[in-house]
Amino acid sequence: MLRTMREGSQRHPWILWLILITIGITFVIVGAWDYQGSGPNTVAEVGPYKVSRQEYLRAKQRYAKFYREQLKQDDVKDETIQQLALDALVTNKSWRVLADQFGLAVSPQELADSIVKLDDFKKDGVFDPQYYQRLLAANRMKPSEYEKQRHNELLIEKAKLLVSEVTTLTPAELQEVKDLNDRQTLEGAEPDLKAFEQTKMQFLLQKKQRALQAFQAELRARGDVTIHEELL
């Protein structure tokens, strides 16, 4: 892993600052069956990976539901929901491109272990194969389709972990965090170490977010990201 990080950082300096955009919703694509409608099926392409129209429509539904049920907002513009869904899907595929560039892999045993540990598929605290298949069938998925999806999720998790392990703030940035924390501390009071750590984490997340945006901009500049606006 350490050798992979060193080699990857030499080839792609931006990787040292890359991490997932915090979207505000835990974004999980449920269902992986092929879209059966007529007409073109791909709404976006990120490197070799395609975003199907079915994926896109499901993502829009999830974001619309979130705004409606969690935020109690019924007047959110469709353009907003559309952009949130598309951004999340492109981000997801961008992580797959990154995992490929690092040569990351998931073994069959890793995949199996990750599935049997998921609480969603347990009955009385133990993985139940029959319940697993019934639950997938209820969501119109085959085990092979779910396992492919889970395989991709594990690759993305590895890419995120790899990047987070090598991402740090520079001494100048740490000094900026300290100065900001000092300004927020009441005169005569002891420095709040908890507040300092929170501020440092915010700086780090912002830096990682900018890095992912830079990575996606690089993909677009190379022509590796294509959005088919007419299908949105």
Side-chain angles (χ1 to χ4, degrees), residues 101-114:
Q101 290 182 353
F102 269 121
L104 300 178
V106 174
S107 71
Q109 189 61 52
E110 285 179 291
L111 176 60
D113 289 345
S114 77

Side-chain angles (χ1 to χ4, degrees), residues 202-225:
Q202 290 173 357
F203 268 63
L204 190 58
L205 288 175
Q206 289 171 3
K207 188 172 185 178
K208 293 171 180 178
Q209 180 174 328
R210 290 194 300 271
L212 181 57
Q213 291 169 338
F215 171 50
Q216 291 177 329
E218 179 184 330
L219 289 177
R220 290 176 184 271
R222 296 203 313 249
D224 289 345
V225 176

Side-chain angles (χ1 to χ4, degrees), residues 75-154:
D75 57 348
V76 181
K77 293 182 178 180
D78 186 65
E79 291 83 355
T80 299
I81 299 298
Q82 172 180 300
Q83 194 60 52
L84 286 169
L86 189 60
D87 285 349
L89 289 165
V90 169
T91 295
N92 184 283
K93 305 300 182 183
S94 297
W95 275 111
R96 281 292 281 114
V97 172
L98 176 61
D100 290 346
Q101 290 182 353
F102 269 121
L104 300 178
V106 174
S107 71
Q109 189 61 52
E110 285 179 291
L111 176 60
D113 289 345
S114 77
I115 292 175
V116 300
K117 290 177 181 177
L118 292 173
D119 291 337
D120 290 343
F121 303 128
K122 291 181 180 179
K123 293 189 69 175
D124 300 323
V126 179
F127 176 76
D128 186 321
Q130 293 183 339
Y131 181 64
Y132 167 70
Q133 294 188 26
R134 288 199 305 270
L135 187 58
L136 292 181
N139 284 278
R140 298 172 58 196
M141 293 185 74
K142 298 176 182 178
S144 60
E145 292 171 332
Y146 174 74
E147 287 156 17
K148 180 179 179 180
Q149 175 184 306
R150 184 61 185 148
H151 178 273
N152 289 338
E153 291 171 353
L154 290 174

